[in-house]
Every structure is written in C-alpha cells, then in structure tokens.
Amino acid sequence: MSTAIIFIQDSYYLKNTNLILDELNIKSKIFVSRKDFATGNASNLFTIANFIQLLCFIIKNRNNNYKFLVASNLDDPIFKCMFHFLSYESFISFDEGQRSIVADDFYFHEDFNKPGQRRNKLLNKIFGIPMPTGKYFDYSDKHFTFYHPDYIYHNLSAHKNLVFLDKEKIVKPVSKIFVGISTDWRYLGTKTLSLESQEYIDKIIAAANVINFINPDIYLMHPRENNDLVDYLNSSINILRDISGQSHNLINKIASTNELVVFSDKSGVLFDLNNDIEIAFIDLFQRFDIVFYSEFVDSFNKYRKGIDPSSKECFIKKLEDFK
C-alpha cells in the first residue's frame, strides 16, 4: 500500500510532521502516538499506552507494507519496535527539537555508555535490538531539519541526505476561518440526540466532511463544544480552543492584514466582527427552518448595513455546495 505510517509522541509534533508529509506528497497516512489528538480521521490514529497495546499493534500490522515510516522521537521504544518489526520501503526521520543543534547531545550517541542503559546494551548484544538511538539515523533515507545547517551546528550535518525545510516559505496566509458551534446543537426542539446515538455520530461526520471540504485555516471551537467534531477534521486545520471569549478580536486582527471569509451557522461572535469581513452562513447540522434562517441572515445584513452602509453582504451557503 502507498501509505505512510508515522510515529510522534504527541500532537506537539503534528504541524512539523504535516509539513514533511506535504513535502513527500503523502496523502494516505496512519498515525501512531502515545496520546490522542485530532488527525482529520478518527480511525487513522493508533494510541499506544502500554506494552500489550504495542504488541497487539505490531501483530496486527506486521504484514502490511508501508511506503514510508516517518518518525521523530527515535529514542522511544514504540518507534524502535515499529522500525524493527514493521515492513516499509523508506524510513524518514526529522528533528525532534532543539537537541538537534546541541553539540554532542546523547540522543545522537551510537553507543550504550550512558548510565542506566545496561539492559539495552545486553539486549543489543544478544538480539541486535534495540540499537543506540544515534544508530537509527544511519538508516534514515532522508532527515528533515528546521534549522539551516549552513548557519548553525547540527548533530546530523554529516547525514547522507539532510534536508532543510524553510517553514517561513511554507506558511500560508489565513484566508478562511470557521467559527465552531456548541454541542448543544443536538437539542433539536422535538428531540434530543444522545452523544452515543448513530444519528448524532452521522451528523458529526457529515458536518466534519463539509468543514474539511472548505478546509479553513483555523477552526475556532465554541466554549461549550466537545471534541467529537474536531476529531474528524483535517490535520492541516489549526484548531483553537478556550481563547477566553476573544474570538472576535482574533478574527478582526487577522482580517486587518488578510482577505478573510468567516464561516458559521449563527454564532454571536459574528455581531462583533468588522463590517468589511465576508461572512458565509452554513446550517451545518440542518437544525433551522429555511424561512427562519433566511430571515435571520436578512436581519443580520440589515444590522450591519445600519452600522456601516458599505458593509459586505452576508450570504447562505447550501450544504450541497460542499460535496
């Protein structure tokens, strides 16, 4: 299969990982981590918290042939098991952090001379695994760094294929923001959807598909919104939560330097946005009567025009426009 399997310990590394996946033009991917995080598809993340889960994962996936193994945190036992027991065509490593530019950091040592490594040294002598962490870099076909090796010391400057990724050239301007919705949307008047019901799950997945089609640069979570929706969002979408009621300030500041479209269903945040910001209304969970929703958007437009006659006209986008 032309799929990459990726190991990162935490979501902290996800943004750098996605830059690398884009550089490698990887579309199909499976994440392995010690912690849960949103990947854009709740079914493509394996969370491993103990040895039994690791063993089950290796047994289940040992016969798959992956295009790439991509990883940082090469000192992690989970990575080392993946390296030795999974099948893949190419191994790609990348900087874990600033230790890459700390001279002679033990992370890059190719021996077991550090105190507390006697067990690993014995296992390596008997079975050949695990190897000292520094040895794994010798097997990576390509190592991505975010520190320009021409201008700063890098422990892997002699690597056979050290590639510098300039994040400044990759950063894209913010052009689309989606304002999230309280999970209370499930109180539909005539009925309440249980969080465990299939109808609720189906609506969450359908809504996530619409947002992923729009592919906003930022998704601003509602203060009373759970993680059910964001767990299905593309990993390229920046998810912001709990910004202390300052969503409108953030959006207005971004709009001061960017052409911006804001998407939402009916958020109160919209009333506090600058009148030159374009707003697209979407009944994401199909919970509003069509006539009521049209009248609401009309009244919103009248409100903006009353404050500033030059305000941009807001409009309703139909869900079928995002399929």
Side-chain angles (χ1 to χ4, degrees):
M1 60 176 72
S2 57
T3 299
I5 189 160
I6 303 121
F7 174 72
I8 52 176
Q9 284 183 339
D10 201 336
S11 60
Y12 171 83
Y13 301 99
L14 190 57
K15 291 303 175 185
N16 284 348
T17 305
N18 284 328
L19 294 178
I20 292 165
L21 298 180
D22 288 342
E23 185 74 10
L24 296 171
N25 196 30
I26 295 172
K27 305 301 182 186
S28 177
K29 50 205 171 186
I30 296 173
F31 288 93
V32 180
S33 182
R34 289 187 175 274
K35 296 183 179 180
D36 285 325
F37 55 83
T39 67
N41 183 341
S43 65
N44 77 342
L45 170 65
F46 291 90
T47 304
I48 297 175
N50 54 56
F51 176 75
I52 298 299
Q53 290 179 342
L54 174 59
L55 182 62
C56 291
F57 172 80
I58 294 296
I59 292 173
K60 182 179 179 180
N61 292 276
R62 70 186 187 280
N63 293 324
N64 294 335
N65 183 37
Y66 297 100
K67 181 73 174 178
F68 296 102
L69 169 62
V70 181
S72 67
N73 311 108
L74 305 195
D75 56 342
D76 193 296
I78 295 176
F79 159 75
K80 293 185 177 183
C81 286
M82 292 172 64
F83 178 90
H84 290 291
F85 299 116
L86 295 184
S87 177
Y88 46 89
E89 297 176 22
S90 181
F91 167 43
I92 308 295
S93 57
F94 66 95
D95 286 345
E96 178 183 341
Q98 292 186 27
R99 65 196 321 175
S100 293
I101 55 175
V102 176
D104 198 38
D105 190 284
F106 72 88
Y107 182 71
F108 298 93
H109 287 186
E110 297 195 359
D111 53 49
F112 285 120
N113 292 333
K114 189 172 179 280
Q117 294 186 315
R118 291 177 62 184
R119 182 178 65 178
N120 285 341
K121 187 174 184 178
L122 179 61
L123 289 172
N124 176 266
K125 188 173 182 179
I126 298 173
F127 302 108
I129 58 174
M131 297 187 296
T133 300
K135 277 284 186 185
Y136 290 95
F137 293 103
D138 295 341
Y139 292 88
S140 68
D141 298 293
K142 188 177 291 187
H143 181 88
F144 286 99
T145 180
F146 304 99
Y147 306 99
H148 203 305
D150 290 347
Y151 306 113
I152 196 169
Y153 172 87
H154 197 292
N155 281 292
L156 295 176
S157 58
H159 190 277
K160 60 187 176 186
N161 196 1
L162 183 64
V163 178
F164 169 62
L165 269 185
D166 188 347
K167 288 194 277 190
E168 289 187 7
K169 292 182 179 180
I170 298 171
V171 171
K172 300 176 182 177
V174 175
S175 62
K176 293 180 285 186
I177 294 177
F178 203 107
V179 179
I181 303 162
S182 167
T183 305
D184 291 348
W185 66 262
R186 63 195 181 90
Y187 299 112
L188 299 176
T190 57
K191 63 178 178 180
T192 297
L193 300 183
S194 165
L195 294 174
E196 290 76 34
S197 70
Q198 190 60 49
E199 184 177 358
Y200 170 81
I201 295 170
D202 289 344
K203 284 183 175 292
I204 284 288
I205 294 174
N209 288 339
V210 170
I211 297 172
N212 286 334
F213 187 96
I214 296 170
N215 199 30
D217 304 288
I218 296 173
Y219 181 89
L220 288 171
M221 290 184 69
H222 190 281
R224 294 190 302 277
E225 181 178 2
N226 64 23
N227 290 332
D228 291 347
L229 174 63
V230 297
D231 281 347
Y232 287 94
L233 297 187
N234 294 335
S235 56
S236 60
I237 298 173
N238 294 286
I239 298 168
L240 301 184
R241 69 187 76 208
D242 192 22
I243 58 173
S244 303
Q246 297 301 307
S247 294
H248 61 290
N249 286 332
L250 175 64
I251 295 172
N252 287 333
K253 287 178 181 178
I254 292 173
S256 67
T257 57
N258 295 269
E259 282 290 326
L260 190 62
V261 181
V262 174
F263 298 83
S264 186
D265 77 333
K266 192 174 169 285
S267 173
V269 169
L270 305 180
F271 286 89
D272 296 317
L273 299 187
N274 294 338
N275 293 320
D276 58 350
I277 295 175
E278 185 175 330
I279 297 174
F281 286 91
I282 302 176
D283 185 8
L284 192 62
F285 294 104
Q286 296 182 295
R287 59 191 179 124
F288 300 121
D289 174 77
I290 295 176
V291 174
F292 164 81
Y293 202 43
S294 296
E295 289 176 348
F296 169 78
V297 174
D298 287 344
S299 65
F300 183 83
N301 277 320
K302 289 178 183 177
Y303 173 81
R304 290 185 107 195
K305 293 287 185 180
I307 296 174
D308 181 359
S310 64
S311 297
K312 287 191 175 181
E313 188 84 9
C314 305
F315 53 92
I316 296 175
K317 297 289 286 184
K318 297 179 180 179
L319 293 182
E320 49 264 34
D321 294 336
F322 304 104
K323 293 181 180 179

